[in-house]
Amino acid sequence: MKTGYSPLLTDRYQLTMLQAYWQHGMHETAVFEFFVRKLPAQRSFLLAAGLEQALAYLEEFAFPPDDIEWLAQTQVFQPGFLRWLEDMRFTGDVNAMPEGTAFFAEEPILQVIAPLPEAQLVETRLINLLNFQTAIASKAVRSVLVASGKLLVEFGLRRSQGAEAALMAARASYIAGFDGTSNVLAGKLFNIPLFGTMAHSFIQAHDDEIAAFENFADANSGDIVLLIDTYDTEAAAIKVAHLAAALKERSIKIKGVRIDSGDLGKHAASVRAILDAARLHDVTIFASGNLDEYALRDLVGSGAPIDGFGLGTRLDTSSDAPYLDCAYKLQEYAGRPRRKRSEGKTTWPGCKQVYRKLDSSNRLESDFLTFRRETLAAEALLIPVMRSGKRLADPQPLPALRRHTASQLAQLPDRLRTLATSEPFKVTVSSSLRECARALDLENS
């Protein structure tokens, strides 16, 4: 999928800094890393997502002529700089954690090694891409953990913050383990399974509720899920039971019913009893309506006979943690480690690697943050994905990313798999990194 945006989708200061780099010949190799400083209070871990769009952006990076013409009209930039910018492409290397990898605070999930102007200019868009999908995947995976294998569908297109956000939310939630989306374009672009039922307006447009059900069934005989809470949920379930018998004679089968309001657990129990009494044991119950992982935990824990859930607003906005305290920072330039010392925003210097050790039960035991040049007897999480501006492999199919997510979840200790807040997982920072940071602090004091 192409990104569809020019390099002008950035902050103004990126271009003014670039002009200064150009004028003063600062083109040596820089290392930038994207990481999250601190996990949201509601998160025990995060799930990396958005790498595919980040790599597509870097590989397609180029200023079209009309962008250069527009920049010239601003009278902010020198003609020589704009001629240089016109030929600019991303030529660097990228190391990254695969999408679906669980990670923690201060661990870089993407590392860019490129001439300073290139690595600098891509900062804003990379943060934009990685922050959002990682936030949504990290929200979605919490529902996956508590849903006990029940059907999960992303329903948030109409409440997302714009078209791109809606598409990326569908993608990120699918990577996290959701079964599909209602977003048709996301289905086309990413080959995500599509799910859907009907709206209350369809019922209201008919003079009779059962006529609405029958008309929908006639037009959609292969996928019939009927919305039954427009007027009276239990009364509608009785109508569905009567209609099912009539439809069966025409070889039309009702797949499920959907409840979108009220006490979902209580209604589901009543509806299940009505359907079972009519021997409609295979008609499923699907629930939606301002759901999140906490509601799912309670409904599943109570034993409510609900077979699947649609999550929209609270998922696609990551309502309890709508942003990540993330950063893309310079860690090395011209062969020298660099360290930011701003209060509350210090960074660990140098080009780094994250190593992960598992215990004898194949569960996460410890993560180590150290220099990339160092080698530990553990799994290296940052792997090469781009060299000289070209991807090293074709994009990973989403089913493979989903399998990777599932394997990551299986490795998490039980305390990190619950919604209850727990003591943050501590990442071990190597003594060599700490010593380098102390040396830089003394040098710049």
Side-chain angles (χ1 to χ4, degrees), residues 338-347 437-445:
R338 310 287 167 152
R339 170 170 159 87
K340 181 179 176 181
R341 292 172 56 196
S342 305
E343 185 176 348
K345 295 183 177 182
T346 57
T347 61
R438 281 193 291 268
L440 289 174
D441 289 350
L442 287 173
E443 181 181 318
N444 295 305
S445 60

Side-chain angles (χ1 to χ4, degrees), residues 49-179:
L51 178 60
E52 163 57 23
Q53 284 67 42
L55 295 180
Y57 164 69
L58 295 175
E59 203 165 39
E60 299 163 12
F61 187 93
F63 284 92
D66 61 326
D67 282 359
I68 299 299
E69 292 171 9
W70 183 85
L71 287 173
Q73 293 171 12
T74 67
Q75 299 185 340
V76 172
F77 304 102
Q78 301 173 38
F81 169 68
L82 293 179
R83 287 192 295 273
W84 173 79
L85 207 61
E86 194 169 17
D87 294 329
M88 187 178 186
R89 302 292 185 272
F90 181 78
T91 64
D93 300 343
V94 178
N95 304 306
M97 291 186 188
E99 294 189 84
T101 300
F103 72 99
F104 304 94
E106 298 190 318
E107 296 183 337
I109 68 168
L110 180 128
Q111 184 180 70
V112 172
I113 305 171
L116 177 59
E118 297 175 23
Q120 179 74 69
L121 184 54
V122 300
E123 172 187 10
T124 298
R125 182 60 169 155
L126 289 181
I127 293 176
N128 172 253
L129 290 167
L130 296 172
N131 169 74
F132 181 75
Q133 283 202 63
T134 297
I136 300 303
S138 301
K139 175 71 169 176
V141 77
R142 290 161 60 81
S143 291
V144 173
L145 287 171
V146 301
S148 298
K150 293 180 183 291
L151 178 73
L152 295 176
V153 181
E154 183 272 320
F155 260 20
L157 168 58
R158 63 189 62 195
R159 301 291 175 82
S160 296
Q161 308 295 338
E164 185 181 53
L167 292 170
M168 295 305 111
R171 181 182 186 275
S173 60
Y174 189 62
I175 290 172
F178 269 52
D179 297 286

Side-chain angles (χ1 to χ4, degrees), residues 236-247:
I238 294 171
K239 294 174 184 178
V240 169
H242 290 309
L243 179 62
L247 291 176

Side-chain angles (χ1 to χ4, degrees), residues 327-403:
Y328 173 91
K329 294 301 179 186
L330 177 68
Q331 312 292 37
E332 185 176 297
Y333 177 60
R336 294 190 60 204
R338 310 287 167 152
R339 170 170 159 87
K340 181 179 176 181
R341 292 172 56 196
S342 305
E343 185 176 348
K345 295 183 177 182
T346 57
T347 61
W348 294 109
C351 183
K352 294 183 282 297
Q353 179 60 276
V354 182
Y355 287 98
R356 177 159 294 170
K357 284 188 175 182
L358 304 179
D359 62 20
S360 58
S361 301
N362 208 38
R363 293 292 186 96
L364 174 60
E365 180 179 280
S366 53
D367 277 7
F368 296 87
L369 184 64
T370 187
F371 285 114
R372 188 168 185 84
R373 64 176 181 267
E374 297 181 306
T375 302
L376 298 181
E379 179 188 7
L381 299 186
L382 289 168
I383 63 173
V385 293
M386 179 174 276
R387 289 293 179 264
S388 301
K390 300 296 181 184
R391 279 188 269 199
L392 298 179
D394 292 335
Q396 280 279 306
L398 293 192
L401 297 180
R402 286 164 57 82
R403 289 192 294 271

